[in-house]
Amino acid sequence: MPGNRATQDLFLEAFDHAPSRELAPGEVLIAAGAPADQVFNILGGMLMMSRTGRDGRRQVLSFLFRDNFVGLTATDHYHFTDEAVTPARVAWIPREAFDARLASDPAAERTFLNMVFRVLEDMLDEVYSLGQRTALERLAVFLLYLRHWRRQTEGPADDADPALNDVALPMTREDIADFLGLQKETVSRSFRQLEERGLISRTGPSAVRVLDLAGLRDVAGTLDFTSPGRPAAARTASAAGRA
Amino acid sequence: MPGNRATQDLFLEAFDHAPSRELAPGEVLIAAGAPADQVFNILGGMLMMSRTGRDGRRQVLSFLFRDNFVGLTATDHYHFTDEAVTPARVAWIPREAFDARLASDPAAERTFLNMVFRVLEDMLDEVYSLGQRTALERLAVFLLYLRHWRRQTEGPADDADPALNDVALPMTREDIADFLGLQKETVSRSFRQLEERGLISRTGPSAVRVLDLAGLRDVAGTLDFTSPGRPAAARTASAAGRA
DNA sequence: CGAAAGGTTGACCAAGATCAAAGTGAGTGG
DNA sequence: CCACTCACTTTGATCTTGGTCAACCTTTCG
């Protein structure tokens, strides 16, 4: 659920005077199966949305950041679980109020529609990653994704700002693994491999520093896509990337 | 882009007098990178949406059927390729006309928003499949998905109608492989495995018959999901499934 | 300070990929 | 109408990536 506040305050304003709630890490905000009667907006912190199969296999579907909505669905019950990764604060309004807002304000509804589209397009990227990329590539993409979101969330600092290269990893290795469709051991080994290649350094279990951004983007694979039938001309290796 | 006509004709009607076009199998309707200035609705046949990386890896993102929209995006250029799998007919209207329709008709916009939500939820299922399921499970889910869409598309026959058990596979093994995040050889072997287990029989290279629907659903894994922390009570093995 | 949870590493294994060759069948031209 | 061809599919042998199992290490927190 991307986008910066400037283009979105059409709705976010609806939460300005809404009640809010603090979540502790690991706290479940929405359990799969619960009735979908509220809509939440993240004021701060990180949440995680996941789906768990009967046999216990879990897929983390996305990590959620400030100004992302939580709890939206077309159905009247949630199919997913949303829980806090870091301490987080969420504001909430009743679903009817949210729906009424959209119904009475066509501009808001339009903006909202575009947000949902952007979420959908992010999910299509995720499908590409899971279907086509290797473990190492997925992890590289993931680190760039976290960096991207920190930039988005902490205000649009210059992309070259060296502070952006310190990437916090507040989630566990298992959370990362379940997001990337891997096992936690494979995630560990992939971190080591990125480190051995000099692209990152592990500054602790829950933080890494990006040492070679261009190199990391290289491993992630250029994030733009071509049409079949016109195979793009080869490019200098570390060009492109869109984060 | 699911749903049946009954709940959707709010829009579909917008295409009733629109010009339409016949597509031959393999014909590209929309190439990645083209400007997004038209919206299409499928009148008949099957299309396929995919994304191809610079290095040639391709992910098929979805197969599209009657009454699905094609060419919708939040951006002004497509990021995906849409091509015909079978002979197909699509109606088209200019994007501005489509947008104007939504802008002037709040009920239509709301309906459309719900459609996009449903597409998003389908994509989340796909993420779960790619991240967590084995090759055999993915193929079983895929067959059920095709069966489901044929039922949706050819009118709501009884789910038990034996005719539904003949599933056509108009796409190549490679298309299936790229949809499931596998190689074509693995798809072949997985078909054989389903056949050896007596769940299907291959009635030709582009058709299979489902012999044991419950068993196939069993392999697919129950398609409903639980909350973590309350592992659902065990069920009779071949229950559930929501296709 | 000690326990517990999470993380890393290593040895081994297996699902699926890759490489190679042989079938199969739909369409085409003789 | 038949045989040839080409594209697609299947099957087999082997290899590799990532999974599994198990031990050890390192933070964190009580």
Side-chain angles (χ1 to χ4, degrees):
Chain A
M1 321 210 166
N4 53 53
R5 199 168 221 268
T7 60
Q8 282 178 27
D9 37 25
L10 271 166
F11 302 98
L12 292 178
E13 151 249 300
F15 289 91
D16 280 352
H17 304 290
S20 72
R21 197 183 140 187
E22 191 75 24
L23 299 170
E27 190 173 349
V28 172
L29 176 63
I30 296 175
D37 46 20
Q38 288 169 335
V39 179
F40 300 88
N41 180 45
I42 302 178
L43 301 179
M46 188 188 299
L47 277 74
M48 178 173 82
M49 173 165 105
S50 65
R51 164 172 281 193
T52 301
R54 215 157 260 301
D55 55 11
R57 283 179 286 184
R58 180 184 69 153
Q59 177 66 36
V60 172
L61 297 162
S62 72
F63 291 98
L64 304 167
F65 305 88
R66 181 164 61 73
D67 292 344
N68 286 173
F69 290 144
V70 186
L72 287 162
T73 169
T75 55
D76 58 356
H77 288 264
Y78 299 118
H79 296 153
F80 311 106
T81 296
D82 289 277
E83 65 196 279
V85 172
T86 65
R89 176 164 287 277
V90 296
W92 57 271
I93 60 178
R95 164 167 275 270
E96 311 91 69
F98 186 83
D99 286 348
R101 176 76 158 76
L102 291 188
S104 70
D105 180 350
E109 184 153 53
R110 161 56 45 119
T111 306
F112 181 61
L113 179 58
N114 281 323
M115 282 181 57
V116 176
F117 257 114
R118 247 174 286 121
V119 174
L120 175 59
E121 290 180 1
D122 279 1
M123 225 29 86
L124 294 173
D125 285 350
E126 181 70 3
V127 168
Y128 181 89
S129 267
L130 292 171
Q132 302 302 324
R133 290 198 234 259
T134 64
L136 196 68
E137 290 169 348
R138 290 182 213 176
L139 186 60
V141 170
F142 177 66
L143 292 175
L144 293 172
Y145 161 87
L146 288 181
R147 182 177 180 275
H148 171 74
W149 271 105
R150 185 154 81 99
R151 185 168 162 222
Q152 199 84 2
T153 271
E154 296 186 2
D158 183 338
D159 180 60
D161 189 335
L164 282 175
N165 288 329
D166 283 309
V167 177
L169 301 166
M171 68 294 288
T172 69
R173 291 296 185 269
E174 189 154 17
D175 293 337
I176 299 175
D178 287 348
F179 181 61
L180 301 180
L182 300 169
Q183 291 307 117
K184 59 187 191 308
E185 295 91 335
T186 303
V187 171
S188 260
R189 285 188 248 271
S190 300
F191 271 120
R192 178 158 55 86
Q193 230 180 307
L194 289 177
E195 192 166 42
E196 281 167 354
R197 294 193 188 187
L199 304 179
I200 64 169
S201 75
R202 286 184 278 189
T203 54
S206 48
V208 295
R209 174 166 303 146
V210 176
L211 301 178
D212 178 357
L213 183 57
L216 194 61
R217 285 180 169 152
D218 231 36
V219 172
T222 153
L223 291 179
D224 54 351
F225 295 88
T226 62
S227 273
R230 27 178 175 145
R235 271 198 202 179
T236 49
S238 59
R242 54 146 224 203
Chain B
M1 320 211 169
N4 53 53
R5 199 169 222 266
T7 60
Q8 282 176 28
D9 38 25
L10 273 166
F11 299 102
L12 292 178
E13 150 248 300
F15 288 91
D16 280 352
H17 305 290
S20 73
R21 198 183 139 187
E22 190 75 23
L23 299 170
E27 190 173 350
V28 172
L29 177 61
I30 295 174
D37 46 19
Q38 288 169 333
V39 179
F40 301 87
N41 180 45
I42 302 178
L43 302 179
M46 189 189 297
L47 275 73
M48 178 173 82
M49 174 165 107
S50 65
R51 164 171 281 192
T52 302
R54 216 158 259 302
D55 55 11
R57 282 179 287 184
R58 181 184 71 153
Q59 178 67 35
V60 171
L61 297 162
S62 72
F63 291 97
L64 304 168
F65 304 88
R66 181 164 61 75
D67 293 344
N68 286 172
F69 290 144
V70 185
L72 287 163
T73 168
T75 56
D76 57 357
H77 288 265
Y78 299 119
H79 295 154
F80 312 107
T81 296
D82 289 278
E83 66 197 278
V85 173
T86 64
R89 177 165 286 276
V90 296
W92 56 271
I93 60 177
R95 166 167 274 271
E96 310 91 68
F98 186 83
D99 287 347
R101 176 76 159 76
L102 291 187
S104 69
D105 180 349
E109 183 153 54
R110 162 53 48 120
T111 307
F112 180 61
L113 179 58
N114 282 324
M115 282 181 58
V116 176
F117 257 115
R118 247 174 286 122
V119 174
L120 176 58
E121 291 180 1
D122 280 1
M123 224 31 85
L124 294 172
D125 285 350
E126 181 69 5
V127 168
Y128 181 89
S129 267
L130 292 171
Q132 301 302 324
R133 290 199 236 259
T134 65
L136 196 70
E137 290 168 349
R138 290 182 213 175
L139 186 60
V141 171
F142 177 66
L143 292 176
L144 293 172
Y145 159 89
L146 287 182
R147 182 177 180 278
H148 170 74
W149 271 105
R150 184 154 84 98
R151 184 169 163 222
Q152 198 84 3
T153 271
E154 297 186 2
D158 183 339
D159 181 58
D161 188 334
L164 281 174
N165 288 329
D166 282 308
V167 177
L169 301 166
M171 69 295 286
T172 68
R173 293 296 186 268
E174 188 154 18
D175 293 337
I176 298 174
D178 288 348
F179 180 62
L180 301 180
L182 301 170
Q183 290 309 116
K184 60 188 190 306
E185 294 92 335
T186 303
V187 172
S188 259
R189 284 188 248 270
S190 300
F191 271 119
R192 179 158 54 86
Q193 231 180 307
L194 290 177
E195 193 166 41
E196 281 166 354
R197 294 193 187 188
L199 304 179
I200 64 169
S201 75
R202 288 184 276 189
T203 53
S206 46
V208 297
R209 171 166 305 146
V210 176
L211 300 178
D212 178 356
L213 184 56
L216 194 62
R217 283 180 170 150
D218 229 37
V219 171
T222 152
L223 292 179
D224 54 352
F225 294 89
T226 63
S227 272
R230 28 176 174 146
R235 271 196 201 180
T236 48
S238 58
R242 52 149 226 203

